[in-house]
Amino acid sequence: GAGVSQSPSNKVTEKGKDVELRCDPISGHTALYWYRQSLGQGLEFLIYFQGNSAPDKSGLPSDRFSAERTGGSVSTLTIQRTQQEDSAVYLCASSPETSGPNYEQYFGPGTRLTVT
Amino acid sequence: KNQVEQSPQSLIILEGKNCTLQCNYTVSPFSNLRWYKQDTGRGPVSLTIMTFSENTKSNGRYTATLDADTKQSSLHITASQLSDSASYICVVSGMDSNYQLIWGAGTKLIIKP
């Protein structure tokens, strides 16, 4: 079946504008993750959704960042009043479960965000 | 503090040669260690996952080793191909959280013809 898809693939925005990034996980996957990857850095965990449970938002860097997942499927990451330091690649991943040590996370291609 | 460090930061080798990438971690208690391959402009793709009890795992020309006592792992690539050019990322999961992974910064590998 189809993999994880993200849109847009690239986004250039002016400082202070709001942006929305979309993630379509693999059908049937209950877990969804958002990460941020800055140049030369490891992936930074942002937020985790699992089924109908309350999301783990502990990785969100500020209250300008928020995410939602509608109907247990599509997720949107919103960044308000963007700053230049928000420029990065935003990666979404999904997995069928998170129980057991060997679960797999399947990644989308990412959205490259550039704030000018 | 839970950390994953990789070396070298970048590596250039000739096609057909072998190479070994290193990973040291301080994550404790340890659950599992993964190696991912990330092509430019793409998301990471899993190569291997190893738990505490496993000390080697292969996936084609990729062989990962794990020494849980010294908290070190390596990824060996045999008979490199141009398509192996990518970033290789070491990722460690702790017992405290099954989904919050600790990501290394990666080794950028370039294979030259």
Side-chain angles (χ1 to χ4, degrees), chain B residues 38-99:
Chain B
Q38 185 175 22
D39 293 311
T40 301
R42 308 291 293 273
V45 174
S46 179
L47 295 175
T48 63
I49 301 175
M50 287 185 292
T51 60
F52 183 89
S53 60
E54 298 173 294
N55 56 25
T56 187
K57 184 167 276 190
S58 292
N59 178 358
R61 294 179 296 101
Y62 301 102
T63 299
T65 65
L66 172 65
D67 186 334
D69 290 332
T70 62
K71 299 186 178 180
Q72 296 180 323
S73 176
S74 66
L75 180 69
H76 186 75
I77 304 174
T78 304
S80 61
Q81 300 176 359
L82 296 179
S83 59
D84 292 333
S85 293
S87 287
Y88 292 84
I89 308 173
C90 177
V91 187
V92 179
S93 173
M95 292 279 194
D96 296 340
S97 171
N98 211 22
Y99 59 85

Side-chain angles (χ1 to χ4, degrees), chain A residues 37 56 58 98 100-101 103-104, chain B residues 32 34 38 43 46 98-100:
Chain A
Q37 187 175 30
D56 178 351
S58 61
T98 54
Y103 75 93
E104 277 281 6
Chain B
N32 62 71
R34 308 147 185 256
Q38 185 175 22
S46 179
N98 211 22
Y99 59 85
Q100 285 212 28

